[in-house]
Amino acid sequence: MSFDDFGFDPRLLAGIRAMGYTTPTPIQAKAIPPVMQGQDVMGLAQTGTGKTAVFGLPILQRLLGGPRGVVRALVVAPTRELAQQIHDHLEALGARTGLRSATFYGGVNINPQIQKLRAGVEIAVGCPGRLLDHIQRRTLDLSRVEVLVIDEADRMFDMGFLPDVRKIIRSTPAQRQTLMFSATMPADIRQLAQEVLRRPVTVQIGHAAPADTVSHALYPVPQHLKTPLLLALLRRLGAGSVLVFTRTKHRARRVGQQLVKAGFAATSLQGNLAQRRRQAALDGFRSGKFQILVATDIAARGIDVSSISHVINYDMPDTADAYTHRIGRTGRAAKTGDAFTFVTSEDADMVRVIERVLGGRLERRTLEGFDYRAPAPARNTEFARGPLPPAHRSGGRPGRRAAPRK
Ligand code: AMP
């Protein structure tokens, strides 16, 4: 199968070529035809599978005909980074079409967004809060929307956005094409799908398990040796972009600082940063200025750096879904990657859950030459014994590690 088989306009085929895509990914091959036919689609696929083009290309194709200057496609995403990325992707694919896309998320001045709407855009990509804000101010008119995309629906649910998403959906015409994407199908997402999709075609890729281009390994380690182990591991990995996950914003910042101190080109990304600094951290990581990015789950959602070679879970994620999403950052679009997870004795339950989801036992590795019996460094007590705060999630899930560490 090739991109020529979908019936895209030559202007889109030029965009596809410019992006360097030669063959459709599995989800593109399966899902683009029903989307092109105007059917509703439920796509069970994580980020990294090529799903943006699944909705992006048919949207651009449809909008080539018909009126300009009115919002005819709306994409709702859980995070600013994902919204920005989708917008960039659409702009690149549609570079020759003259169609205009704009982003709508919080943390930045609303006025330029209003001006863009006044000037006329056909595609709106945004996060629920700011989209609702525009709807309430009547600066965004969704009455002409023909295609609605709800991306990373499970993340939207995790972050407590479903009520807002429902309100946004109610502002769009009942007669529309709706496309929903989710890596997992918790009950609430199933419910939402039943409410908003009409006779949907379900397309599933990989059963929501991480891309099989990723190799996984666990590194058992005492809590107080995580940072020394990280440093030792990074020294052996050599080149390649590395994304390190911590459980809290504070730890992301601290670990980032420790890496810089040790001489690594590292930066951190966490929710406390102003949008400008988040973007600078992301851009620096994408461009290779920073080899290592230390981030929390929320800050890292939707990050698309196709060259990420390693994901290191400094702290175990609190759900198997979070593991899948973190690992989805590497091995993207059939590149191979490694996923290393530091595990302490307290993580045994979550290891079992993840192994069940992955359908096999994960390899346990020890780093040769690393002193696993070293005592806790005196100055590093916070990492050695400090109780971890409850799980840091906007959705307010109870933390499984809220209890003080031994
Ligand atoms: P997505 O899941 O849409 O975020 O896409 C993940 C990554 O795969 C992005 O870097 C895309 O640019 C890339 N990608 C998407 N489709 C293709 C394709 N057909 N061939 C190669 N790379 C692709």
Side-chain angles (χ1 to χ4, degrees), residues 317-393:
D318 26 85
T319 62
D321 288 358
Y323 182 85
T324 302
H325 275 271
R326 287 183 181 184
I327 301 318
R329 307 289 169 252
T330 187
R332 301 172 70 86
K335 291 206 173 72
T336 53
D338 287 318
F340 300 142
T341 302
F342 290 1
V343 291
T344 68
S345 52
E346 292 170 33
D347 298 322
D349 289 346
M350 190 44 60
V351 169
R352 269 193 294 276
V353 172
I354 289 171
E355 288 182 329
R356 213 176 306 134
V357 169
L358 294 180
R361 194 180 141 82
L362 292 172
E363 181 192 342
R364 269 72 171 165
R365 282 192 202 162
T366 48
L367 190 67
E368 229 174 278
F370 182 76
D371 182 6
Y372 281 91
R373 283 181 307 184
R379 279 190 310 113
N380 204 11
T381 46
E382 172 190 354
F383 277 83
R385 339 196 130 258
L388 277 169
H392 151 64
R393 282 179 164 270

Side-chain angles (χ1 to χ4, degrees), residues 74-95:
L74 172 67
V75 183
V76 189
T79 63
R80 302 163 188 179
E81 282 77 17
L82 183 62
Q84 186 63 45
Q85 209 170 278
I86 293 169
H87 161 82
D88 294 344
H89 211 126
L90 292 174
E91 292 244 297
L93 287 171

Side-chain angles (χ1 to χ4, degrees), residues 3 16 19-28 45-55 57 82 85-86 89 93 151-152 302-307 328-329 332-335:
F3 280 104
I16 293 167
M19 292 288 278
Y21 303 169
T22 48
T23 324
T25 64
I27 193 169
Q28 289 165 357
Q46 67 208 68
T47 295
T49 50
K51 68 184 164 58
T52 313
V54 167
F55 59 83
L57 290 169
L82 183 62
Q85 209 170 278
I86 293 169
H89 211 126
L93 287 171
D151 199 8
E152 294 203 356
I303 287 183
D304 171 19
V305 178
S306 36
S307 58
R329 307 289 169 252
R332 301 172 70 86
K335 291 206 173 72

